[in-house]
Amino acid sequence: MKKSSFVAMILGTIGGILFALGMCMALIAEWNARQPGIVLGGLGVAVLLIMLLVWRKMENKEPIHLSGKTIGTVLLGILEALVLGVGMCLTMVWGRMIVGTLVGIVGIVLLLCLIPMVKGIK
């Protein structure tokens, strides 16, 4: 394993855990920890962004250029992840198993469509 991949794996794991725990703290009302959850989730996002910058620097890649396609792809990915999350909520929180499963499958298929959109088909 390359050093850059190892550093990215460690920072990605730390950032992902901080973000997930922060979102749980912010969104689960029984925990009564909305403000600290938002702070912890923001810290997780910051660690993930640092991980991206560090990894790109270690791999000697050029900085990310923001274009309309890049912004559109990110927004589409966020929308598709939200569709998957709604399907999960329908299944696990609201007890709508069939509808939640179908919405979740649609979310997964939409997320899979990001791969050819970003990489292209050759």
Side-chain angles (χ1 to χ4, degrees), residues 92-116:
M92 295 188 292
V93 176
W94 297 310
R96 308 284 310 261
M97 186 64 72
I98 295 173
V99 174
T101 302
L102 293 175
V103 171
I105 290 171
V106 167
I108 291 170
V109 169
L110 289 173
L111 283 168
L112 287 173
C113 290
L114 275 177
I115 297 169

Side-chain angles (χ1 to χ4, degrees), residues 22-68:
M23 290 301 98
C24 287
M25 290 170 65
L27 297 174
I28 298 176
E30 290 85 15
W31 289 12
N32 197 22
R34 178 174 298 258
Q35 188 70 24
I38 292 171
V39 171
L40 197 61
L43 181 64
V45 168
V47 170
L48 290 171
L49 289 174
I50 290 169
M51 180 265 312
L52 180 65
L53 296 174
V54 167
W55 179 78
R56 289 188 73 81
K57 182 74 171 177
M58 290 178 80
E59 289 286 322
N60 295 322
K61 294 188 181 269
E62 61 185 46
I64 297 173
H65 298 290
L66 291 180
S67 65

